[in-house]
Amino acid sequence: MGKDREATQQSLLNAVDELITEKGFEALGVNAVAARAGVSKMLIYRYFDSLDGLIAAYIRQYDFWINFDQELPDEKHLADFIKGMFRKQISLLRENYTLKRLYRWELISDNAFVKELRDRREAKGLWIVNAVSRLSRHPEKQVAAVATLVNAAISYLVLLEESNVIYNGIHLNDESGWKQLEEGIDLLVDLWLSKK
């Protein structure tokens, strides 16, 4: 891929971020993105097939699970590894306003781009589940259930924090609330891993 193409693609991805941050998801359109990036809208179709393809490319670039590439720990450090993994998921999603908006788009979309995102996450998730199962000596079905519950709770609460600031007495719009949630995740991980 040529440097000009890479630069143009990144300009378009940056334009998505800028438009959503400044004006909200509703401002996103082929013409608006192309104008913000200073390129022809035809390049969106050439490089990403459509606006949905461009949105999916943004998610692919910043999604925690798709891009997860941490080195696996030894058994002794597994608990810290799992806790750190979920803390990084929380941090990344809470800090990226655009990614939160695009996750909402993904939840209500059903197209080939969304399927490809989900397939990539699923493949990475199965790899992590298998690795944690081997290291913890817990069955894969159990690891998958625990990971799914924690991951889904994190995603839901991060998406909820702007519109519902309190959940079960935990302040989602305050760092102390997220510290409380992280401590809860730590407790769950420790209790689960202690069950042999």
Side-chain angles (χ1 to χ4, degrees):
M1 186 184 303
K3 288 187 178 183
D4 288 344
R5 178 174 176 156
E6 287 178 5
T8 300
Q9 287 176 326
Q10 192 56 53
S11 292
L12 289 163
L13 293 167
N14 293 344
V16 167
D17 187 49
E18 292 166 11
L19 283 168
I20 290 177
T21 300
E22 293 171 17
K23 301 179 180 182
F25 184 80
E26 298 73 22
L28 211 57
V30 171
N31 292 330
V33 172
R36 176 57 66 103
V39 300
S40 165
K41 69 180 180 181
M42 293 311 296
L43 293 177
I44 293 173
Y45 297 105
R46 181 179 301 160
Y47 297 152
F48 301 101
D49 292 326
S50 66
L51 182 62
D52 285 351
L54 176 59
I55 292 170
Y58 184 96
I59 294 173
R60 261 193 318 276
Q61 186 173 59
Y62 294 102
D63 183 89
F64 178 73
W65 297 112
I66 290 173
N67 295 296
F68 183 86
D69 65 352
Q70 288 179 251
E71 188 174 318
L72 294 173
D74 56 24
E75 186 179 339
K76 180 180 174 186
H77 297 98
L78 182 60
D80 290 337
F81 172 81
I82 295 170
K83 294 172 190 177
M85 189 170 54
F86 287 125
R87 286 175 191 267
K88 286 177 185 167
Q89 179 194 8
I90 290 170
S91 176
L92 177 99
L93 192 48
R94 287 190 70 220
E95 291 170 6
N96 191 324
Y97 176 84
T98 298
L99 192 58
K100 284 193 278 190
R101 291 296 175 277
L102 298 185
Y103 275 6
R104 289 181 180 138
W105 165 83
E106 185 185 338
L107 285 172
I108 59 169
S109 298
D110 186 24
N111 58 49
F113 300 108
V114 170
K115 182 180 181 328
E116 187 261 342
L117 288 171
R118 292 174 183 160
D119 288 347
R120 282 185 177 217
R121 275 196 211 103
E122 182 68 9
K124 189 63 67 90
L126 290 174
W127 179 82
I128 295 168
V129 163
N130 176 269
V132 171
S133 175
R134 281 186 285 106
L135 289 166
S136 69
R137 290 187 229 102
H138 287 279
E140 281 190 30
K141 284 186 174 185
Q142 187 183 86
V143 175
V146 171
T148 298
L149 290 169
V150 175
N151 179 28
I154 290 169
S155 297
Y156 176 73
L157 293 171
V158 169
L159 294 178
L160 191 65
E161 75 176 306
E162 292 171 33
S163 59
N164 186 21
V165 296
I166 299 178
Y167 194 93
N168 286 338
I170 298 173
H171 291 264
L172 300 177
N173 63 342
D174 190 274
E175 291 307 311
S176 65
W178 285 96
K179 182 164 178 44
Q180 183 180 349
L181 289 167
E182 288 174 354
E183 289 169 356
I185 291 169
D186 291 353
L187 177 62
L188 286 172
V189 170
D190 288 337
L191 289 171
W192 172 64
L193 287 176
S194 71
K195 301 282 185 192
K196 294 287 183 187

